[in-house]
Amino acid sequence: MTLSTFQRFVSGQTATYLSYHMLSVVIGWQAYDLTGSPMVLGLVGLMQFLPQFLLTLAAGHVADSHDRRRITASCQIVGALLSALLSLGSLAGFMNEHVILAAACLVGAARAFEYPTMQALLPTLVEPGELPKCLAVSAGMRQLGVILGPALGGVLYIAGPGTAYAVCACFSLLAATAMLSIRSKPAAPRREPVSWRSVLEGLTYIRSRPEILGAISLDLFSVLLGGATALLPVFARDILAIGPWGLGLLRSAPATGAVVMSIFLARHPLKRRVGRTMFLAVATFGLATVVFGLSRFFVLSLAALIVLGMADMVSVVVRSSLIQLETPDDKRGRVSAVNAVFIGTSNQLGEFESGLTAAWFGVVPAVVLGGVGTLLVVVLWMRLFPALLRRETLAARWS
């Protein structure tokens, strides 16, 4: 396939991630402005998470049965329409928490279909040998959206939520236009009747592939145990005493490290000992978490989070490459959907676990124990999934 095809995909992906992260910030801020209630902020997050958790497996079946470009573009158009309606509502002055919660729910439903479909679409646009490098670029651009989206949303909110929502709508329309402009013609999808068996096919396939199961579950438990980001406000205020500006730097540090590593991996793709590399990366993630938890110096804490982000990006690229290369195209949507559920669950439960252990043991012990737990998971998974440890290359084996 031509390079321009991948460029169009990445352009659309970057635009949709910018729109999504901008929208999340603007919705949250407006909800708090209108109500002054932290509970409403929690409900906004819950209303986005529940549709993604409930619909993602079904979305995987849809992604394997229909044109993935049109599904992705349709979700982005829905996002554009929702943003436009929120803009009009803000300008007209009829916004309230009920409208915001309903919009958050619809955004979550659209994301449930968009994310696994986009993940399954990419391997059909590039040659298998180019996929690891393209995945690194794709993951890096996602992280760029994580960095720039909230910042841009915050700046635009100064001009008013109506303006911010309007820009979100423009980015979503740009994303849909880019996706629809992709001219490659993948093989016609195999239509299967909807059944529990077909919807759960992704889980069945992952269970039959120890290397994929090992890679996904290793990431699940490492993020679940080693996630310190939920406690960053406590470190910024009470431990490092750096204030809001320092918190902003701490929050952006993992994504910055991930972008740097994605650029490196795009130029120097992993070719040998990929299994050992993944385990080493997750172990580095755990060690960086321990260093961050013990640090009392801002520069050291910042460096630890940057290293943490770099290590996580290596794990993401290896895991994503194995999932996409080891999965036949007619199952990629459903397998990507299962992966999306694992990622969402680990992130959400990871934040809950961090808060719970911090309440039990204290903030610093919670982070340090999480990092140590990640290291123990690495050792255990090396024994449970020896095939993943011995994995030499990312070349597909299913065909």
Side-chain angles (χ1 to χ4, degrees), residues 308-342:
L308 181 149
M310 296 173 71
D312 186 52
M313 177 55 65
V314 175
S315 174
V316 166
V317 170
V318 174
R319 185 188 75 246
S320 299
S321 298
L322 286 177
I323 290 171
Q324 301 300 350
L325 289 170
E326 287 286 326
T327 306
D329 187 61
D330 64 340
K331 294 183 177 64
R332 278 198 180 111
R334 283 164 288 184
V335 171
S336 295
V338 174
N339 186 43
V341 170
F342 273 55

Side-chain angles (χ1 to χ4, degrees), residues 8 48 58 83 101 112 167 221 249 254 260 264 272 280 305 334 351 357 369 394:
R8 292 176 184 182
Q48 291 186 70
S83 298
L101 291 175
V167 175
F221 284 101
L249 291 176
V260 171
F264 176 83
R272 298 178 61 247
L280 178 61
L305 290 176
R334 283 164 288 184
E351 292 183 2
T357 53
L369 286 173
L394 293 172

Side-chain angles (χ1 to χ4, degrees), residues 33-53:
D33 279 346
L34 290 172
T35 65
S37 170
M39 176 61 71
V40 173
L41 290 178
L43 289 175
V44 168
L46 181 65
M47 293 302 287
Q48 291 186 70
F49 170 71
L50 283 178
Q52 294 184 56
F53 182 77

